[in-house]
Amino acid sequence: MISDNELILRARNGDDRALRELVERYMSFSREKAKGYTSSGLEYDDIVQEGMIGFLSAFHSYDPEKSASFRTYAGVCMDHRIISAINAACGKKHIPSSSIVSIDDAEAQSADVAADPEKMFFLKARTAEILSRIDSDLSDFEKKVFHLFFSGHSYEEIAAMTSSTLKSVDNAMQRVRKKLR
C-alpha cells in the first residue's frame, strides 16, 4: 500500500491514478466524519460532499515538511469545511422561503433577463458594481490570485505563476472571500 505522502506527490505531478486512489481513501473517511454531523440539519450526502471539499483543500495546501500527517491535516480541514457549511446552512434558516429560487426558476429567470432589456441593464449595472468592488477592495496580489483561480488554475499553479508560496495563495483567497462577502 502506497503512503498518502507518496500519492500526494504523484498526484501533484499529474498522476490521475494516484489522485483517484487518494479520493477513494478519503471518501470513506469523509463518510465516517459525516455520520457525526447527521443531526446538524444538513443531508448526509451534502455533509460528505463538504468533507470532500475540505479534503481537496487539504490536498492543495498540505506541506509534508510540517509535523502533522496528511490524514490528521485532512481531517481538520474536512471538519472545518463541514462545520462552516453547517453554520452557513443554519444562518439561512431564517431566509423567507419566498426568496429561495429553485434551479428551474433560475433557468427561467436567465431566459427572462436575456429577453428583457431593463433586466439586462440592471444585471450589467450590478456586474459593474461587483467588478468595481473587486478592483477597489482587493490588493494587487489578491486580484491576481482571484483571477488566476477563477481561470481554472490550481493553488500550486498560482503559487508558481506568482512566485509565492502555496500558503500565501491560500491566505490571499481566504482574504478575497472575506472581502467579497
Side-chain angles (χ1 to χ4, degrees):
M1 188 162 145
I2 301 172
S3 73
D4 286 347
N5 286 355
E6 179 63 27
L7 287 172
I8 290 167
L9 181 64
R10 289 182 186 181
R12 286 180 178 173
N13 288 324
D15 185 344
D16 290 338
R17 288 189 322 192
L19 181 57
R20 204 171 10 259
E21 172 68 26
L22 269 171
V23 168
E24 287 173 14
R25 281 185 192 179
Y26 283 86
M27 178 60 82
S28 61
F29 190 37
S30 185
R31 286 186 184 119
E32 289 172 31
K33 287 194 164 294
K35 289 176 187 173
Y37 295 100
T38 53
S39 63
S40 67
L42 286 181
E43 296 287 326
Y44 173 78
D45 289 337
D46 292 338
I47 298 169
V48 172
Q49 185 177 21
E50 291 296 332
M52 289 308 293
I53 293 170
F55 157 76
L56 289 173
S57 174
F59 169 76
H60 288 294
S61 61
Y62 178 67
D63 182 359
E65 300 298 317
K66 303 291 181 186
S67 60
S69 70
F70 179 72
R71 185 170 182 88
T72 301
Y73 181 72
V76 170
C77 290
M78 293 164 87
D79 283 333
H80 286 191
R81 181 65 192 209
I82 291 168
I83 291 167
S84 293
I86 291 168
N87 288 339
C90 288
K92 292 180 182 176
K93 284 183 181 178
H94 303 290
I95 296 173
S97 60
S98 61
S99 66
I100 297 174
V101 179
S102 75
I103 293 173
D104 294 333
D105 290 343
E107 289 174 356
Q109 285 179 358
S110 295
D112 288 347
V113 167
D116 185 349
E118 184 180 359
K119 288 181 182 177
M120 183 63 79
F121 172 79
F122 285 113
L123 179 63
K124 285 183 179 179
R126 178 69 178 135
T127 303
E129 180 185 323
I130 291 168
L131 292 173
S132 172
R133 190 158 170 230
I134 288 170
D135 194 46
S136 66
D137 291 357
L138 302 182
S139 70
D140 289 339
F141 181 68
E142 290 166 345
K143 281 186 248 183
K144 190 171 195 171
V145 169
F146 176 79
H147 289 293
L148 289 170
F149 181 76
F150 282 100
S151 296
H153 296 284
S154 69
Y155 279 22
E156 289 85 10
E157 292 170 331
I158 296 169
M161 294 166 117
T162 59
S163 301
S164 58
T165 65
L166 195 59
K167 185 64 180 164
S168 63
V169 169
D170 182 53
N171 288 343
M173 280 304 295
Q174 296 303 322
R175 289 191 306 272
V176 167
R177 287 183 185 105
K178 283 182 183 176
K179 289 179 179 180
L180 296 181
R181 278 195 187 126

